[in-house]
Amino acid sequence: MATSTYELRCRECGKAWPSQPRNYCEDCFSPLEVTYDYDSLRKTVSHELFASRAPNIWRYRELLPLPAGYQPSLPVGYTPLVSAPRLGEKIGSRRLCIKNDAVCLPTLSFKDRVVAVALANARSFGFDTVACSSTGNLANSVAAQAAREGFKAWIFIPSDLEPAKILGTQVFGAELVRINGSYDHVNRLCSQIADEHRWGFVNVNLRPYYSEGSKTVGYEIAEQLGWRLPDNIVVPMAGGSLISKIKKAFDELVLLGLVDPKPVKFFGAQASGCSPISTAVKQYSTEIEPQRPKTIARSLAIGNPADGPYAIKAITKSGGWSEDVSDTEVVESIQLLAKSEGIFTETAGGVTVGVARKLIHQDRILPDETTVLCITGNGLKTTDVLSDAYQAETPIAPKLVEFEAYLASKVGEFGRVAGETPALPLATKSTVLAAEA
Ligand SMILES: *Cc1c(COP(=O)(O)O)cnc(C)c1O
Ligand SMILES: [Zn+2]
């Protein structure tokens, strides 16, 4: 498979390092990032080249750090970008769309993208064991893709994760280590283990490769908008990597002449119970004050975010903003998205929708601007947060008279079935946004 030339570069001192499993600069201890030969890429990549390939992240292979000859074995990504007119009507946006990574394959979160790119490099670096510290979704994805690619997997998680995320790791045969502590404790332990064992930690020593996988969200959004950039994008933040890499993706597309330059406002979303990045933005600070997380949005519960300063920079330089919402608003927003668009997201998506509503209310996002909400994970993994929201109905006998009696008991004073809302007068809803553009 044709790939491109790339190397690692220190994000602070700029020193170049050959491709290797390392996430920080030995000279100044700042994070390393993958960089490409953009002059030669400008001559090779085009809309037509990408469009000629199957709809998955590998269609952008020249813009990813892949070892020479790498043959992917899974069609990861290329999730739908759908218009969201019913949700838009409820929260006040006429050009709202959803990037739906709740249906990303193979494990129903955007983490499948980052793991695919990290594991592509793990083999060529000589690892036979891969590992991660995780708030849940990364655990699921590393376990599944390690099974698929024939790696042994060691997964480290805080002990209080959702049952579905624990089971959804164990089922793939991974070694699961539950730690009594927060994600930040788990992550610190993993850095120490990575120094002792020759394991490929996808978010520690393989982190530069992992982060490049996040860029594919940005490439796909631009392509699905007809090779255009949106006015606004709302992104949930844990470590702050996804939001900074979507920015990198948009910048690269402009640099390569694949989209017209355009100011895109980046908006970061967090839960109020773990909001180190949004708190810094709201205080006009460039520094992260670590927090002790307390929120149902466990996938975002990182109190000391590794890419926090880069996320702050991406947000503030773009003219965007960051907000956070309470756990109650998270649950309400999950239900609102499900009822209005038929998309069942996990708590992180509730954070994104709740924050988007807040930002529109604050007039930071205007109704006629094209606004993309990144829905990053699937609601079937966090059903525990809805356990009090719905009662189990009393079953009835399989008889028509019983059903008619049941129906009569449900008809409310306005002569309609309780819980049914009147149909909204809406324009026709196209599912693929590109068709509208
Ligand atoms: C990990 C995760 C995020 C945030 O990712 P970062 O790159 O760490 O900011 C968002 N949503 C979900 C569902 C996640 O699992
Ligand atoms: Zn350096």
Side-chain angles (χ1 to χ4, degrees):
M1 185 167 101
T3 46
S4 71
T5 49
Y6 55 91
E7 59 185 6
L8 299 178
R9 183 169 300 165
C10 175
R11 295 186 77 164
E12 296 306 325
C13 77
K15 179 166 176 177
W17 299 86
S19 184
Q20 59 184 296
R22 157 172 301 282
N23 60 327
Y24 60 88
C25 171
E26 273 178 82
D27 287 5
C28 76
F29 300 101
S30 301
L32 297 178
E33 178 174 53
V34 177
T35 175
Y36 303 81
D37 178 355
Y38 292 108
D39 286 335
S40 79
L41 278 176
R42 203 172 289 124
K43 294 175 207 129
T44 18
V45 296
S46 64
H47 299 159
E48 296 69 34
L49 179 68
F50 297 143
S52 72
R53 296 169 174 165
N56 58 61
I57 61 170
W58 310 116
R59 76 208 255 117
Y60 311 110
R61 66 187 71 142
E62 285 83 1
L63 307 177
L64 296 172
L66 300 176
Y70 179 69
Q71 292 295 333
S73 75
L74 276 176
V76 175
Y78 221 87
T79 55
L81 180 77
V82 297
S83 62
R86 289 174 195 273
L87 178 65
E89 176 154 314
K90 288 188 176 127
I91 69 176
S93 168
R94 280 184 283 271
R95 293 196 62 83
L96 190 66
C97 0
I98 289 173
K99 179 60 174 166
N100 185 11
D101 270 13
V103 295
C104 198
L105 293 178
T107 67
L108 309 179
S109 88
F110 100 90
K111 291 296 198 306
D112 289 326
R113 303 170 180 277
V114 295
V115 172
V117 177
L119 294 201
N121 288 279
R123 183 77 72 204
S124 70
F125 289 141
F127 295 115
D128 61 10
T129 300
V130 292
C132 68
S133 55
S134 173
T135 56
N137 285 314
L138 188 62
N140 298 166
S141 191
V142 170
Q145 296 193 50
R148 169 79 180 171
E149 306 290 339
F151 289 102
K152 289 194 281 287
W154 280 84
I155 312 287
F156 299 82
I157 57 168
S159 56
D160 67 350
L161 285 194
E162 299 90 343
K165 285 184 180 161
I166 293 176
L167 187 90
T169 301
Q170 292 169 316
V171 72
F172 299 114
E175 296 288 345
L176 183 68
V177 187
R178 292 174 66 207
I179 311 284
N180 281 320
S182 71
Y183 172 82
D184 301 285
H185 295 117
V186 177
N187 193 247
R188 203 169 318 135
L189 172 66
C190 284
S191 295
Q192 293 168 337
I193 299 171
D195 288 337
E196 297 296 318
H197 297 265
R198 257 202 65 76
W199 293 353
F201 274 87
V202 302
N203 55 342
V204 183
N205 48 359
L206 297 174
R207 191 170 178 89
Y209 305 91
Y210 159 107
S211 343
E212 290 297 289
S214 292
K215 293 192 308 184
T216 58
V217 177
Y219 300 146
E220 291 174 17
I221 289 170
E223 183 173 2
Q224 289 167 316
L225 287 172
W227 291 110
R228 268 188 284 254
L229 300 181
D231 297 308
N232 308 302
I233 184 160
V234 187
V235 186
M237 304 183 295
S241 174
L242 176 61
I243 192 166
S244 23
K245 295 303 164 173
I246 293 177
K247 164 143 179 52
K248 184 178 181 186
F250 288 172
D251 289 347
E252 286 177 337
L253 293 178
V254 171
L255 190 63
L256 295 170
L258 293 168
V259 297
D260 289 334
K262 168 176 176 180
V264 179
K265 287 185 181 160
F266 284 80
F267 294 93
Q270 294 207 292
S272 301
C274 181
S275 52
I277 305 177
S278 72
T279 300
V281 170
K282 291 197 287 188
Q283 293 175 349
Y284 300 96
S285 166
T286 53
E287 266 156 52
I288 296 288
E289 183 102 32
Q291 293 183 1
R292 186 191 303 265
K294 193 179 182 326
T295 171
I296 56 168
R298 294 200 178 87
S299 57
L300 303 181
I302 298 185
N304 190 9
D307 287 294
Y310 299 107
I312 295 172
K313 208 180 281 179
I315 292 164
T316 52
K317 280 201 165 168
S318 76
W321 194 245
S322 185
E323 265 299 349
D324 44 79
V325 285
S326 71
D327 285 357
T328 309
E329 289 171 285
V330 170
V331 172
E332 284 167 6
S333 301
I334 290 172
Q335 294 169 306
L336 178 65
L337 176 63
K339 286 194 291 187
S340 52
E341 299 295 343
I343 292 172
F344 186 17
T345 183
E346 70 147 75
T347 47
V351 168
T352 303
V353 170
V355 163
R357 180 162 62 173
K358 216 164 172 170
L359 293 165
I360 293 167
H361 191 72
Q362 294 170 352
D363 295 330
R364 293 185 192 274
I365 291 179
L366 300 177
D368 286 315
E369 295 171 339
T370 301
T371 300
V372 175
L373 308 188
C374 292
I375 296 302
T376 47
N378 193 293
L380 293 172
K381 296 193 193 185
T382 61
T383 53
D384 41 325
V385 303
L386 293 171
S387 58
D388 297 332
Y390 307 98
Q391 305 99 38
E393 295 285 337
T394 315
I396 61 169
K399 294 206 174 89
L400 183 59
V401 287
E402 289 249 356
F403 172 69
E404 295 298 345
Y406 179 85
L407 182 61
S409 77
K410 287 276 168 186
V411 175
E413 57 180 305
F414 301 110
R416 59 182 175 84
V417 176
E420 244 181 34
T421 43
L424 294 168
L426 281 168
T428 53
K429 176 167 167 176
S430 90
T431 49
V432 179
L433 211 87
E436 267 190 332

